[in-house]
Amino acid sequence: MSETKFKKVTHCIFDMDGLLLDTERLYTDATQRILNKFGDQVYTFDVKLSLMGMVHMDMCRKIVDVYKLPITPEEYSKLQKQINSEIMTNAQFMPGAEKLLRHLHKHNIPFCLATSSGEDMVEIKITHHQDVFKLFHHRVCGSTDPDVKHGKPAPDIFLVAASRFPDKPDPSQCLVFEDAPNGVKGAHSAGMQVVMVPDERVPLEMCSLATQRILSLEQFQPELFGLPPFDN
């Protein structure tokens, strides 16, 4: 992690899966269900870690390749979407996520979503959280947004996200929240500070580009980045 002092920011950009919503375990379940159809292979965390943050079709291509599945990436995609549409409506907020979002909104801090998911899947995941997600200024959905030419770990999604705020902040004024190494790489490449909230199994060396690493959004201290502190 960087040893330099945290710099003041004016805008926040949030990943969604595994950061705001507890969807990663649901994705693991969905992927394992598909693998079970074609044998007894196990969806390991190492493979999952390499996929986190990828846009949808890149992820499908890699899983088909890694596990040598007898189907096309397009066929895998269809299976994944069928299962996801059944289980993703159960996604719950990660600890501290809703509190932080409502806090930023209360203090008029602009924030947006930058997720590799497609718009259709985002709508499924936020089924029971519409009131909170309406607080976001905008969403950039990497798998379906034509302006996102390259998925994470490329910086595209974060630069697009920043450019869609009305005042078009400089990347250095944006603070990204991420859980995945691919996302942290992308944010760092975009010239943004990034708070990482990784799965506890992510090796420390894969967190090295993060400006700050915390175990939960409950530990985040907004004032360290020049943002209004929590009221209590």
Side-chain angles (χ1 to χ4, degrees):
M1 261 69 68
S2 171
E3 295 298 328
T4 59
K5 185 178 179 181
F6 303 143
K7 299 176 179 63
K8 177 179 172 58
V9 297
T10 55
H11 297 65
C12 295
I13 301 174
F14 289 88
D15 175 49
M16 182 172 68
D17 293 301
L19 185 279
L20 294 178
L21 294 180
D22 187 14
T23 53
E24 289 300 342
R25 61 183 182 83
L26 300 177
Y27 269 120
T28 297
D29 180 45
T31 303
Q32 189 61 56
R33 286 197 210 180
I34 296 173
L35 293 181
N36 289 345
K37 295 176 181 289
F38 302 102
D40 57 359
Q41 298 188 86
V42 176
Y43 184 41
T44 66
F45 185 73
D46 285 346
V47 174
K48 180 182 179 68
L49 189 57
S50 71
L51 299 173
M52 289 171 68
M54 279 189 176
V55 294
H56 178 70
M57 284 309 302
D58 286 350
M59 178 269 295
C60 294
R61 281 187 281 270
K62 184 157 185 177
I63 288 183
V64 168
D65 178 59
V66 168
Y67 290 101
K68 310 300 180 189
L69 300 181
I71 54 176
T72 65
E74 290 73 21
E75 290 169 330
Y76 180 91
S77 172
K78 184 176 180 180
L79 288 171
Q80 180 97 47
K81 287 182 177 179
Q82 286 174 344
I83 297 174
N84 286 349
S85 65
E86 298 169 7
I87 66 176
M88 287 296 175
T89 57
N90 297 320
Q92 299 299 311
F93 276 115
M94 296 291 283
E98 182 176 1
K99 178 183 177 181
L100 175 56
L101 295 174
R102 291 191 182 278
H103 171 74
L104 294 175
H105 181 260
K106 175 182 176 181
H107 292 279
N108 299 311
I109 303 299
F111 59 93
C112 71
L113 194 68
T115 174
S116 296
S117 293
E119 184 70 40
D120 53 344
M121 193 52 58
V122 170
E123 285 298 327
I124 290 172
K125 293 170 185 173
I126 68 173
T127 298
H128 301 300
H129 310 295
Q130 293 284 347
D131 58 331
V132 177
F133 279 86
K134 285 178 181 176
L135 304 180
F136 285 77
H137 182 269
H138 58 273
R139 304 178 199 164
V140 182
C141 302
S143 291
T144 51
D145 194 309
D147 289 338
V148 180
K149 306 301 183 184
H150 306 284
K152 302 172 187 178
D156 300 35
I157 192 169
F158 299 111
L159 295 174
V160 170
S163 73
R164 291 184 183 170
F165 286 114
D167 52 348
K168 300 186 183 304
D170 186 83
S172 65
Q173 296 177 288
C174 299
L175 180 62
V176 174
F177 292 81
E178 266 283 355
D179 69 307
N182 281 333
V184 172
K185 288 179 183 177
H188 183 265
S189 295
M192 300 175 181
Q193 295 182 92
V194 53
V195 172
M196 187 181 192
V197 192
D199 183 292
E200 61 183 10
R201 294 168 290 181
V202 175
L204 275 176
E205 59 267 23
M206 297 185 77
C207 306
S208 61
L209 293 178
T211 310
Q212 182 186 45
R213 174 183 173 274
I214 54 179
L215 301 179
S216 164
L217 285 175
E218 292 177 309
Q219 296 181 342
F220 179 63
Q221 297 175 268
E223 62 272 22
L224 294 180
F225 294 90
L227 298 169
F230 286 117
D231 300 327
N232 51 47

